[in-house]
Amino acid sequence: MLDDICCLETQLPEDIEKAKWCGDFARAGRLIAQRLQNPKTPAFLRERLALEQEILLRLPLDYCYSEPEALRLIRKDIPDFTEDELLSLEDSGAVDWIYREGKPYLSRRFYETLLKVHPDISRRAGIKEADTVSEKQLLSNTLAWMKEKGSDSWHIRLKASLAIDDQAFRPGELLKVHLPLPKEAENMRNVKLLACSPEAFHISAPDAPQRTAYFECTPDKNIPFTVEYEYDACVTYTMPDAAQVSSAQPNFCTEEQSPHIVFTPTIRKLCTELSGGETNPLLLARRFYKYCTEAVTYSYMREYFTILQIPEYAVLNQKGDCGVQALLFITLCRCAGIPARWQSGLFVTPYSQGCHDWAQFYIAPYGWLFADPSFGGSGYRSGNLEKQEHYFGNLDPFRMVANSEFQKAFDPPKMQLRSDPYDNQKGEAEYDGHGLLWNELEASWELLEMRRNP
């Protein structure tokens, strides 16, 4: 299925494109069906149209609030919030929307984005800084510790679960499940799988690009699938010096990867503009990071599968979540000949556990360095320039790395189209003929132990 994803580069016929973006998904579906029935439709276009059928099914799931519904949601917290304020936020790009049947519908996480990115709105909603101060203080203290001590290491034991929605569960049918597992990486040591429930059918190799525990069973009752594991997250503080950068640099991890890590005319022009004639790869990477953290504002996203060119989306819309920002950084680096690659999994602290993406880039003689434009961008927006600076070259030890490459198959591969064809942080499940979507799955995590290593 991953091979088919590359055909997303093919443009849609104009009538289908017009029907799609005015929100007439039924008409777009009919037009697709007509072309699929036409024997003269070429094979490559058939593949593209088949994927578009899936996109048309998923888009309405992500855009579920009409404007009146969105106003009612906000006014639960901010009674005096006005319709003009909402329209202004839509026009500025702060609120993501599409047309459905000719009317604007807002993304399911639009309000979360406003509360996360706009301090004035979060204050009006009654959210106080004290609500998140403990985690922020832990992170701040840890970055200071790393700078002083030169490194940091934490032992983390976690239980991850994936549950099937009762409406999607099929008793007695063969169910196949992939749950993410921690993998070998520069910042991961002593990885151990402690338990699986039910018993796993297959465990992929410790260095698998997207490592999982794979289950096959025919449950009569809807039970969660769980894995328990432990690992040491280890990071070293570095301050790379541009003057010490080697004249000879490697060329691995500089290739394109359709459909997203592609040197489109937009990416090439931005790369040239940001480079400004600079040739030192460390200084070039810093310029790309600065753009990703300062020009691209954090925003929760719809499903990546429904975005046809993720780095271009970030450039043209100047917004994106952690993965969008990381992909833009990786693509700019590769376009300039700087090796760059993906890392993702979880951000884990005693206060919260959740999905996160970031990047690595390679500079000789320093080797692989980290870049987290999302965390760097939050530092920039809050005026914490030291935090912004830290996440160029460095990371924190609160990570679980499950994926070291973008858009890679599982071992064994999933047969149906994945809920997320590109990454895996929560898990995937499928029946014969049906891959379950995000709204049919619920992931959760339980932190069992977390302590700094001596």
Side-chain angles (χ1 to χ4, degrees):
M1 293 300 297
L2 283 176
D3 292 339
D4 298 339
I5 295 294
C6 296
C7 73
L8 287 174
E9 287 188 324
T10 301
Q11 292 187 5
L12 289 172
E14 187 180 62
D15 55 351
I16 297 174
E17 193 81 58
K18 288 188 291 188
K20 173 183 179 179
W21 290 120
C22 75
D24 193 346
F25 299 133
R27 184 172 190 175
R30 293 196 305 271
L31 295 171
I32 289 173
Q34 289 177 10
R35 280 178 169 79
L36 290 176
Q37 292 167 5
N38 185 345
K40 295 182 180 179
T41 300
F44 75 90
L45 184 55
R46 289 179 180 277
E47 292 178 355
R48 174 67 181 89
L49 293 173
L51 286 183
E52 191 61 33
Q53 287 179 315
E54 184 70 25
I55 290 174
L56 293 175
L57 291 175
R58 298 190 186 196
L59 275 175
L61 298 175
D62 262 315
Y63 294 89
C64 54
Y65 291 108
S66 66
E67 288 179 326
E69 290 169 337
L71 276 173
R72 286 196 292 271
L73 177 64
I74 299 174
R75 284 172 176 168
K76 289 179 181 179
D77 297 328
I78 311 173
D80 63 347
F81 197 90
T82 68
E83 183 178 357
D84 285 344
E85 286 184 279
L86 181 60
L87 293 175
S88 177
L89 288 166
E90 290 178 22
D91 290 347
S92 70
V95 167
D96 187 22
W97 61 274
I98 64 169
Y99 280 118
R100 287 179 54 184
E101 303 301 329
K103 296 181 179 180
Y105 272 73
L106 281 59
S107 68
R108 61 189 170 90
R109 303 189 72 182
F110 85 93
Y111 191 34
E112 289 179 73
T113 296
L114 293 179
L115 295 175
K116 181 180 179 69
V117 178
H118 296 268
D120 57 326
I121 294 178
S122 62
R123 282 193 297 268
R124 290 170 65 188
I127 297 176
K128 300 177 181 178
E129 180 69 16
D131 295 341
T132 57
V133 69
S134 297
E135 184 167 86
K136 289 182 178 179
Q137 191 60 55
L138 171 66
L139 189 59
S140 177
N141 291 343
T142 301
L143 301 192
W145 172 287
M146 288 179 59
K147 197 170 185 178
E148 177 185 352
K149 305 290 186 179
S151 64
D152 201 5
S153 174
W154 288 68
H155 180 77
I156 298 172
R157 185 160 61 96
L158 201 66
K159 182 179 180 180
S161 301
L162 187 70
I164 313 298
D165 183 84
D166 286 339
Q167 299 299 316
F169 179 66
R170 301 178 182 179
E173 290 193 30
L174 179 63
L175 178 60
K176 302 175 182 179
V177 175
H178 284 89
L179 286 187
L181 289 178
K183 60 160 287 145
E184 292 179 354
E186 290 83 357
N187 45 333
M188 299 280 289
R189 300 175 189 167
N190 303 320
V191 175
K192 294 180 182 178
L193 177 60
L194 303 175
C196 295
S197 179
E199 184 177 355
F201 186 83
H202 178 73
I203 305 297
S204 52
D207 61 348
Q210 296 194 1
R211 193 181 185 213
T212 68
Y214 172 68
F215 303 83
E216 277 190 12
C217 58
T218 54
D220 294 320
K221 294 182 179 180
N222 192 5
I223 58 172
F225 291 79
T226 66
V227 289
E228 182 181 329
Y229 49 75
E230 64 180 6
Y231 60 93
D232 292 329
C234 309
V235 287
T236 300
Y237 185 75
T238 182
M239 293 183 64
D241 182 358
Q244 302 302 316
V245 170
S246 301
S247 57
Q249 295 288 324
N251 60 4
F252 50 74
C253 293
T254 56
E255 69 278 5
E256 295 178 281
Q257 187 179 4
S258 176
H260 295 294
I261 305 175
V262 177
F263 310 149
T264 66
T266 298
I267 292 296
R268 290 183 184 275
K269 289 176 182 177
L270 179 61
C271 182
T272 299
E273 181 176 330
L274 295 177
S275 298
E278 179 61 65
T279 58
N280 185 296
L282 181 63
L283 297 180
L284 272 175
R286 185 181 292 277
R287 292 186 180 197
F288 301 151
Y289 174 81
K290 180 178 174 64
Y291 179 87
C292 293
T293 57
E294 298 182 8
V296 182
T297 300
Y298 190 92
S299 175
Y300 290 111
M301 299 297 298
R302 66 178 185 258
E303 285 189 82
Y304 283 5
F305 176 62
T306 66
I307 304 172
L308 302 185
Q309 224 295 324
I310 292 174
E312 278 206 352
Y313 178 99
V315 177
L316 299 177
N317 297 285
Q318 295 193 317
K319 63 183 179 182
D321 64 6
C322 53
V324 171
Q325 292 172 295
L327 276 176
L328 176 57
F329 176 79
I330 290 168
T331 305
L332 287 170
C333 282
R334 290 191 178 192
C335 187
I338 302 169
R341 66 187 185 189
W342 179 265
Q343 262 198 359
S344 71
L346 301 175
F347 180 69
V348 180
T349 75
Y351 308 100
S352 68
Q353 303 85 46
C355 304
H356 193 50
D357 313 321
W358 57 97
Q360 290 183 284
F361 64 105
Y362 193 99
I363 303 291
Y366 298 102
W368 284 110
L369 303 171
F370 294 99
D372 190 331
S374 170
F375 274 42
S378 69
Y380 171 76
R381 291 193 306 273
S382 65
N384 187 346
L385 301 186
E386 188 173 358
K387 179 181 178 183
Q388 181 188 16
E389 178 65 21
H390 177 92
Y391 285 100
F392 178 75
N394 295 286
L395 207 58
D396 56 66
F398 306 128
R399 310 294 169 116
M400 186 283 280
V401 180
N403 311 293
S404 58
E405 293 189 48
F406 189 74
Q407 195 177 316
K408 291 296 181 179
F410 296 156
D411 172 28
K414 187 181 177 190
M415 302 308 296
Q416 308 300 321
L417 183 66
R418 283 160 49 173
S419 177
D420 183 348
Y422 307 116
D423 198 27
N424 183 42
Q425 298 157 316
K426 296 181 177 181
E428 297 271 351
E430 64 182 335
Y431 291 104
D432 287 342
H434 176 61
L436 277 70
L437 301 182
W438 63 264
N439 62 316
E440 299 172 307
L441 302 168
E442 182 176 357
S444 60
W445 301 274
E446 179 184 357
L447 183 62
L448 303 176
E449 182 184 8
M450 186 168 184
R451 54 177 169 79
R452 176 173 270 142
N453 286 320

